[in-house]
Amino acid sequence: MATTHKYRVLIGKPGLDGHDRGAKFIARALRDAGFEVVYTGIRRSPEEIAAAAVQEDVDAVGLSSLSGAHIRLFPAVVEALVKAGAPDIPVLGGGVIPEEDIVTLKAAGIVEIFTPGTPIDTIITAYKDACAKKSSG
Amino acid sequence: MTIDRLLKGLKLRDPRAIGRAITLVENGDEKAQALLSALDEDLISRATILGITGPPGAGKSTLTNGIISELRQRKERIGIIAVDPSSPISGGAILGDRIRMMQHATDQDVVMRSMATRGRLGGLCATAGAAVRIMASSGCSTIIIETVGVGQSEMDIIRLADITLLVLAPGLGDDIQAMKAGLLEVADLMVVNKADCKGADILAMDLETVTRKGSTTPTQISMTVATEGKGITELLDCIAEVDSEHRDSGERQKRRRGAHDQEVLDWCLEILRPRLLAEITQKKMSLLGDPRLKAKEILKEK
Amino acid sequence: MPKDPKLAEWEENELAKSLNRFPERKEKFTNHGGEEIPRIVTPETIDDQYLDQLAFPGKYPYTRGVQPTMYRGRLWTMRQYAGFSTAAESNKRYRYLLEQGTSGLSVAFDLPTQIGYDSDDPMSLGEVGKVGVAIDSLADMETLFDQIPLGKVSTSMTINSPAAVLLAMYVAVGEKQGVAPENIKGTIQNDILKEYVARGTYIFPPKPSLRLITNIFQWCSQKTPAFNTISISGYHIREAGSTAVQEVAFTLANGCTYVQTALDAGMELDVFARRLAFFFNASSDLLEEVAKFRAARRLWARLMKERFGAKNPASLMLRFHTQTAGNTLTAQQIDNNIVRVTIQALAAVLGGTQSLHTNSKDEAHSLPTEESVRTALRTQQVLAHESGVADTIDPLAGSYYIEALTDKIEREALALINKIEESGGVVTCIEEGFIQRQIENAAYQYQLEIERGERIIVGMNKFKVEEEKKPPLLRVAPEVEKTQVAMLTELKNNRNNEQVAGLLTKLEAAAQGSENLMPYIYDCVKEYATLGEICNVLRKVFGEYKDRG
């Protein structure tokens, strides 16, 4: 068959932070790397993100937060995905996130955290790995 | 998930099952065949497929949102498929329609799926038809297909949809004249959105003479101001009228037959394309001579 | 050679008037050797081209500055943006900054406050007090300015969609302190157009938002004439990734839109235009930034004169605040950020800014610690008192490069402004996504250059090290949310709820009509209606803006 397998990723910003430059860049970069990116924009609740992720049956969810609310909101998205019956969809995140929070977030189930200055190739590889793991799992 | 689990999930309207089923079909998984053959044909034949097309800037997404809100008030279960083009270079895509529908994200009776064209020349992805059937099977009574509205995609939608809406708006330049006269003649209903703007009445007048191919009466025009939810109820009434006419006159069946046959043809071509391409490449024919004759030669050999 | 008559003319008129109002900071400005530093240097012979393009500070088209004495008369205001967690905590930081020599306050509000949600709203989860101070009602505002005399200190508030409410609260606090409204000085950002394209803290759609903005213009011109009613911002547009030309073009185009909106509402140009202020970014390309500020001043003066026919010189002057570019700060080797900020601050000063905020070195990690903020402030103080750049006016004028670049930026920005006009104006371009796409494309290109190593960011994609120590960071305690919620409950128990409900109903009715909403909001605020309660009423009437991606 001619239809090809593509990795699908949902990118969104939970909470009230409106700075979407980074999220938009990641979305474009993923597109240029061959991903299909469902971009859901700013001001999303964890429930909205999870519901959309399930409908779109994405292979990974990417979150962004620059307002310090990541510590509450990123784990909330993981929880919402579990509740929506999709505990297998990996969640990755980025933004202004202090190092000590990364440990906490990973313990809460976020697969990878990208801080400012992370090269885009590193980020894309991380998404590829996360999507591949999910597909085979 | 196994096919059985998925089919059960569709019956139960489980969002996860619906999402997984569409992915299977999109990725050309072998399990897809088994799934598609076991769908609820009754539900499929009863669902109404609404195609919404039109130039960028006409307000299609806003209108779609308005239609969804209204239908939800009537307790209907709705499916939406939004199609965006895949990048011919990277093969990836930005699926940017979902962002405009997020207010319905947690409503379980609004089943939305964003799809990329994935290299299909037509504009509409090859698997949209299958996705429609899966959604119908999960109980969606109305399924809306929306595309960007440039290029070949409108014709694909029109083929796939039971009823096609062409959404226009004043102030989009003189594209109406330049724009594919063919599109105007194939729509079942025309919507003049942003009806509160200057030029809306003139646009409506310009459209009054447009008649659908094969019809004797001019195509109906609805006026809406989608941002304010105005005109939506009336539009839905028009749609219901057209739907009813089509069912009575046999037009609906005729179109479904046409769509079905076309889709089978498309799949034939999809399946043959790589095989033929491999053969042609392998032959390393001389660059001289008429390509059409060469094609006939190759096919004669089949 | 004798002094050029044009220069003499300026000295006898604009300069003399200014010196009469207040003298320069020193009798004489001298260098290390005791020699006098000239106030301003011009070409020996002043021709028409000079007068047309540059002129003198405080004289149309203001390329060389809006005041005749610039920093010799008064240094730029050192205004450090600050605020976090509770009003009580922020109040401490403000009093610290005032002790350390800051000349004005600048309030940062948390995201729920900026978007009109109370701390107990479900949408506020995890966000309370994080990027600024949480203000739910007048009670919080009173705490915020405790022991801070509003008659003496001017305050800039970075608030947009609910600016009307916070402004009302500020004036009410002043009233309680016994300060007459006409003596209240400060600025509210109140620039909704840029929210839709770069910052994202919008609430209502464009039309009702513009109505609120003109309501504020009108109310303030009568009640608080010393208060700046809008800070038309390019900072965030640049932070979102635009180029320098786009920053100028989109900001000035927004400015023209506000002017037109006010005129359409029947206001008199030369009455409100003098209270328009601007806010720009100071990025790392020192020379381009200096040219950018000069180009912006000249372009605005010309637009106001030619397009709107402004007569009063005050209407033609582009006065602006600057912030050094946040998006240039790196999380790696954070001491390098001090160097970046210094260059950027220098650009702002050489460009003639009226007030300046310098970022702290640790802001790519978190909100700044007290120590980092102090260093940021010291950066400005060193520039002001040790570098000599404040002792002469527009020193880079006449440089071939700077003047050519100033001309180029003005030309290209004007072309972009005209393009927006032709495409239906700013609001249409926002609704169609034109402006957003321009910014996104520029941002994308820039980021690609960094990723490819074509653009070097020291410490990040070149000259890297293994990061040794972790910097001490400011953490906002999560209890802030609990504290705020508890205070809200108490507030609602102690106030006259019937009164509040009645006033909110009156506000709703007025919002449905076309009256000025400020008096209604002021009344609600004084009775301790919460920010969320007031904004929810307005949401009901105006609807909410939805981003279309």
Side-chain angles (χ1 to χ4, degrees), chain A residues 39-41 44, chain B residues 56-66 68 84 95-105 112 146 148, chain C residues 431-433 437 546-549:
Chain A
Y39 181 69
T40 56
R44 302 272 81 102
Chain B
K60 290 190 298 297
S61 303
T62 317
L63 185 67
T64 304
N65 258 316
I68 295 170
D84 277 305
L95 305 175
D97 300 276
R98 164 70 70 166
I99 193 176
R100 303 171 199 202
M101 314 269 187
M102 284 305 281
Q103 70 209 78
H104 304 290
M112 180 171 176
E146 199 203 314
V148 176
Chain C
E431 288 170 349
E432 310 280 283
R437 278 194 298 277
K546 293 264 185 292
D547 179 26
R548 314 207 40 238

Side-chain angles (χ1 to χ4, degrees), chain A residues 16 21 28 32 43 120, chain C residues 127 202 239 441 444 451:
Chain A
L16 301 178
R21 176 182 181 174
R28 270 220 215 185
D32 290 343
R43 254 189 251 184
I120 190 65
Chain C
E127 307 266 16
Y202 44 76
E239 287 292 291
N441 289 337
Y444 190 64
E451 296 293 341

Side-chain angles (χ1 to χ4, degrees), chain C residues 40-193:
Chain C
I40 186 160
V41 175
T42 64
E44 281 191 2
T45 323
I46 290 173
D47 60 9
D48 283 341
Q49 221 223 354
Y50 175 86
L51 291 174
D52 186 56
Q53 289 288 86
L54 299 183
F56 302 98
K59 203 166 159 80
Y60 182 86
Y62 307 102
T63 317
R64 303 198 71 178
V66 294
Q67 291 115 359
T69 54
M70 283 307 290
Y71 306 132
R72 288 167 65 107
R74 267 211 277 262
L75 288 170
W76 63 90
T77 306
M78 300 184 190
R79 194 187 289 281
Q80 294 294 91
Y81 186 57
F84 49 88
S85 109
T86 59
E89 280 300 313
S90 300
N91 175 263
K92 270 199 221 130
R93 178 60 73 90
Y94 293 162
R95 285 189 283 128
Y96 172 75
L97 285 168
L98 287 168
E99 274 161 39
Q100 292 301 319
T102 202
S103 20
L105 292 178
S106 177
V107 182
F109 298 98
D110 70 2
L111 283 173
T113 305
Q114 292 188 53
I115 306 181
Y117 292 119
D118 286 340
S119 303
D120 60 359
D121 193 299
M123 293 296 288
S124 305
L125 182 76
E127 307 266 16
V128 178
K130 288 286 168 61
V131 306
V133 65
I135 300 286
D136 291 324
S137 74
L138 179 59
D140 290 326
M141 207 64 164
E142 285 160 351
T143 310
L144 189 64
F145 291 101
D146 179 44
Q147 293 172 63
I148 294 175
L150 295 200
K152 297 223 175 72
V153 173
S154 91
T155 303
S156 170
M157 293 189 276
T158 300
I159 191 78
N160 294 278
S161 309
V165 183
L166 278 298
L167 170 65
M169 287 181 186
Y170 189 73
V171 175
V173 170
E175 227 185 14
K176 289 204 178 194
Q177 281 184 1
V179 180
E182 54 263 24
N183 291 333
I184 295 214
K185 286 200 176 67
T187 310
I188 34 170
Q189 197 168 85
N190 193 25
D191 170 11
I192 193 61
L193 293 174

Side-chain angles (χ1 to χ4, degrees), chain B residues 268-284:
Chain B
C268 289
L269 295 173
E270 283 288 320
I271 293 166
L272 284 175
R273 186 188 304 276
R275 289 192 213 163
L276 288 173
L277 183 61
E279 209 181 304
I280 293 166
T281 320
Q282 197 213 37
K283 273 185 194 276
K284 288 196 175 41

Side-chain angles (χ1 to χ4, degrees), chain A residues 43-64:
Chain A
R43 254 189 251 184
R44 302 272 81 102
S45 72
E47 292 70 34
E48 284 174 346
I49 291 176
V54 165
Q55 286 198 343
E56 301 287 357
D57 194 33
V58 295
D59 300 299
V61 167
L63 306 173
S64 153

Side-chain angles (χ1 to χ4, degrees), chain C residues 146-410:
Chain C
D146 179 44
Q147 293 172 63
I148 294 175
L150 295 200
K152 297 223 175 72
V153 173
S154 91
T155 303
S156 170
M157 293 189 276
T158 300
I159 191 78
N160 294 278
S161 309
V165 183
L166 278 298
L167 170 65
M169 287 181 186
Y170 189 73
V171 175
V173 170
E175 227 185 14
K176 289 204 178 194
Q177 281 184 1
V179 180
E182 54 263 24
N183 291 333
I184 295 214
K185 286 200 176 67
T187 310
I188 34 170
Q189 197 168 85
N190 193 25
D191 170 11
I192 193 61
L193 293 174
K194 63 101 170 47
E195 294 297 324
Y196 299 117
V197 306
R199 195 165 178 274
T201 66
Y202 44 76
I203 309 177
F204 322 111
K207 287 208 190 80
S209 301
L210 288 171
R211 181 247 181 111
L212 275 172
I213 289 173
T214 35
N215 283 174
I216 292 174
F217 285 179
Q218 275 161 325
W219 192 76
C220 286
S221 68
Q222 314 247 295
K223 198 154 164 107
T224 58
F227 202 85
N228 295 314
T229 46
I230 191 168
S231 183
I232 305 164
S233 307
Y235 176 79
H236 320 85
I237 293 173
R238 191 67 182 274
E239 287 292 291
S242 84
T243 61
V245 167
Q246 289 168 338
E247 183 189 344
V248 175
F250 297 148
T251 308
L252 266 52
N254 287 348
C256 290
T257 307
Y258 292 125
V259 169
Q260 191 60 55
T261 308
L263 290 174
D264 292 344
M267 295 191 70
E268 227 185 282
L269 182 62
D270 283 318
V271 166
F272 73 83
R274 62 205 319 217
R275 280 291 149 228
L276 302 178
F278 289 79
F279 173 26
F280 287 111
N281 193 307
S283 195
S284 299
D285 185 332
L286 175 67
L287 303 170
E288 184 181 56
E289 291 301 281
V290 174
K292 177 189 84 182
F293 296 125
R294 299 167 89 245
R297 261 198 302 274
R298 187 163 73 205
L299 183 52
W300 181 249
R302 287 179 172 165
L303 284 170
M304 285 301 280
K305 187 162 193 210
E306 293 162 24
R307 195 172 283 209
F308 293 103
K311 299 266 172 13
N312 190 330
S315 308
L316 304 167
M317 294 182 204
L318 182 138
R319 300 170 299 123
F320 65 100
H321 169 75
T322 306
Q323 176 165 339
T324 59
N327 67 12
T328 59
L329 301 176
T330 58
Q332 298 79 10
Q333 296 177 52
I334 62 177
D335 285 342
N336 295 344
N337 291 328
I338 299 175
V339 179
R340 293 186 174 100
V341 169
T342 307
I343 294 171
Q344 294 159 1
L346 179 61
V349 168
L350 290 173
T353 191
Q354 275 57 59
S355 80
L356 178 61
H357 163 101
T358 34
N359 289 330
S360 302
K361 66 184 189 183
D362 48 0
E363 294 198 66
H365 287 273
S366 187
L367 289 185
T369 60
E370 210 172 74
E371 208 190 303
S372 315
V373 160
R374 195 177 63 214
T375 304
L377 181 57
R378 296 287 179 256
T379 304
Q380 294 196 45
Q381 289 160 338
V382 167
L383 276 174
H385 301 290
E386 297 180 21
S387 77
V389 296
D391 297 344
T392 184
I393 302 174
D394 191 32
L396 298 192
S399 142
Y400 296 117
Y401 184 65
I402 293 289
E403 295 303 352
L405 203 45
T406 306
D407 293 348
K408 179 172 183 288
I409 293 175
E410 183 193 1

